[in-house]
Structures are given as C-alpha cells and as structure tokens.
Amino acid sequence: MSKSDKRQRQRENRAERRAREEREARRRRLIRLATRGAVILAVVIGAGVVLSFLGGDDEPVETTVAPTTSVAPTTTLAGTTTVPATTTPVDPEALSDEYLQYRELPVACGAEAPPPVEPMQFDAPEDQNLAADQTVTATLSTSCGDIVIELDSGLAPETVNSFVFLARQDFFDGVVSHRLLPGFVVQFGDPAARGDGGPGYNVPDEFPEGEFAYDRGVVAMANVAGTPNSTGSQFFLPFAPTGLDPAFNPVGRIVEGIEVLDQIEQIPVDSQRPLEALYIEDIVIDAS
C-alpha cells in the first residue's frame, strides 16, 4: 500500500470513527439527562425524609476543583502525577474548571472544538502486542492539522505500549494543550488541563542512552521532575533544540506534518497558557 493510500485510509477511518463518536455522545447525553432527572427526584424525596429525622439545615459540600496557581516557564517538563487508579471511566460530567475555561476560548487555527474529553482512569495499560521491529505510527489530528509520529517500540517499549493503549481507548480525544512555550515545547495529554492529570498509572523510566537530543521532530513523555518512574499520559513536542538532559521517555519522531508545529507556535500565550484552545481531536494508531 502506498503512503498516499495509507493516509486516505486513515482519513476515512477517522471520519467513520468521529461519526460513531457523535452518535455515542448523543446517546450518552440522553442517558445522562434521563438519569439526572431520576436522581434529582430521588434527592428531593430523600431530603424530605432525612430532614424529618434530623431537623435543621445541612452544610453544603464543596465539590468543585480548587484552582491551581500559575507556574512560571522553566526548562523542566513537570507534568504527570500519580493518580488513584480505578478500572472504570470517570463521570464525563466531572470536567475540571481549568478544562472548561479552555472550552470558552476560541479554537486555534480557526478550527471547531471537538466533543469534550471524557476523563477515564486505568490500573495499568493492556499489552498492545507491539514488536520491537514493527512499524507503528500515530496520527495526531490537532486543531492546526495532522502530525504523524513513527513510534519507537525498540527504544522505549513500555512507554510506546502505554501511548498506543491510551490512544486506542480514546483517552486523548478532546484533550487540550495546557502548556505552550514558543521556542521550547508544546505539551498535551492532561485531561484536566492543569498539568497534574494522568491515566491513573505510571510508566517506568526508559530514558535514552548516549547522545540523545530532544530536538524539533522528537516526541517524548513529560514527567515529574526529579521523581523516578513518574511518566503518565502527558507528552511534549519541541519547537527547537531544547538542551534537555536525557531524563524523559521518548515516544518517537515526527515523519509527516512537522510544519504544523510552526502554526502551533504562533498561538498567542499568557506566560505558558495558550490563549486559544489547541485540541487533539483524535489519535489514530496504524500498526502494520
């Protein structure tokens, strides 16, 4: 199969997948509306029963996510933290305040916003049966265009396995970039858009050996600076040579669409916060 045929097949697959996702999203919304009505009715009835026994007023319970303070730009890529794992998806309604704020922004590159991210957590990634010599690509469909990454299972097998697993679970769909530093990197992969979100598990360190450089074209995972084995779901794409030490698990290298980085780098920022929402619409894995 030629490269153009493969790209056409990927585009057709993405179109079919988005159509399925839109149908499923509409179905989930109807279910949530019906469930919400039943819950409200049950709460009203239950509240009357509880108050009849207890009397007086109950204090409200704070359920919103506390805002975080902004972090000044540095050359570290602190991002993912250990999150209590669960094998079931998180309530799609439980989106962070920070993510919802991005949903209010104009979308980068004149694109339209995809459906919101659906937060989910896992105990561990499932084995994706990737061979070290197997050609595996990941096509990132972003608000500014497609970026095709050739994944390197031989260099960081557990990291690539986790990345492929999360992509196939649609974990990244609707995720927004929470960190963009022109001349340095753009960072993705946190469903909470705060810098501390992850998939519920951590991947062991698989740092590259020798003279490895995190330069333009490389894709690597972020981690908590100075904390061993703290890689999760967040990853970064350098705009230029970064000078970073080999302390981040590599994912692979861009083979198509590197010019999309130039468009992304033009997105206005406030400190390191994008002022336009840059989304990952989806990530399509092709394991030939």
Side-chain angles (χ1 to χ4, degrees):
M1 180 182 295
S2 69
K3 185 175 294 185
S4 60
D5 290 339
K6 181 182 291 186
R7 296 287 292 145
Q8 180 61 31
R9 188 186 70 181
Q10 289 176 337
R11 283 193 290 268
E12 292 172 353
N13 289 341
R14 287 199 299 274
E16 293 175 1
R17 181 173 168 184
R18 286 170 184 160
R20 290 196 304 270
E21 289 172 348
E22 290 174 0
R23 290 195 296 269
E24 179 63 19
R26 286 194 294 269
R27 186 186 70 83
R28 286 199 300 265
R29 282 195 294 271
L30 290 174
I31 293 174
R32 285 201 295 271
L33 288 173
T35 302
R36 188 179 302 164
V39 169
I40 290 173
L41 179 61
V43 168
V44 170
I45 295 172
V49 173
V50 170
L51 289 176
S52 68
F53 279 97
L54 298 179
D57 296 326
D58 293 331
E59 293 185 1
V61 178
E62 180 62 55
T63 58
T64 58
V65 179
T68 57
T69 57
S70 60
V71 180
T74 65
T75 56
T76 62
L77 287 161
T80 310
T81 57
T82 302
V83 180
T86 168
T87 56
T88 56
V90 176
D91 181 0
E93 298 289 335
L95 299 175
S96 73
D97 290 346
E98 290 81 0
Y99 180 81
L100 292 175
Q101 289 170 10
Y102 278 104
R103 298 291 298 186
E104 298 297 322
L105 295 177
V107 181
C109 298
E112 296 183 0
V117 68
E118 184 171 332
M120 57 186 75
Q121 299 276 272
F122 305 93
D123 285 326
E126 297 177 3
D127 186 1
Q128 301 301 296
N129 300 309
L130 304 174
D133 58 351
Q134 186 176 10
T135 300
V136 182
T137 62
T139 301
L140 277 66
S141 292
T142 77
S143 301
C144 291
D146 289 358
I147 298 173
V148 182
I149 304 165
E150 185 171 313
L151 308 180
D152 195 337
S153 299
L155 186 59
E158 293 197 52
T159 302
V160 170
N161 182 80
S162 172
F163 188 90
V164 170
F165 167 74
L166 293 175
R168 285 173 169 170
Q169 296 296 317
D170 299 334
F171 178 90
F172 297 111
D173 293 9
V175 166
V176 69
S177 170
H178 65 279
R179 190 167 191 239
L180 196 163
L181 290 89
F184 188 42
V185 302
V186 59
Q187 192 164 324
F188 294 98
D190 178 7
R194 289 192 303 261
D196 62 354
Y201 61 83
N202 295 110
V203 178
D205 291 339
E206 293 182 304
F207 299 156
E209 298 179 356
E211 298 296 325
F212 188 90
Y214 300 93
D215 293 344
R216 177 180 169 89
V218 167
V219 181
M221 303 302 296
N223 57 39
V224 180
T227 304
N229 305 314
S230 59
T231 293
S233 58
Q234 296 184 45
F235 61 97
F236 63 94
L237 291 71
F239 294 120
T242 62
L244 291 168
D245 293 333
F248 305 94
N249 294 3
V251 177
R253 185 173 294 275
I254 296 173
V255 293
E256 291 182 41
I258 196 167
E259 68 279 358
V260 174
L261 287 179
D262 297 327
Q263 298 182 58
I264 291 175
E265 194 172 13
Q266 300 306 310
I267 295 173
V269 298
D270 179 9
S271 182
Q272 60 184 345
R273 182 180 185 273
L275 297 179
E276 296 175 357
L278 172 64
Y279 293 99
I280 291 178
E281 297 175 0
D282 67 0
I283 298 181
V284 176
I285 302 297
D286 186 359
S288 58

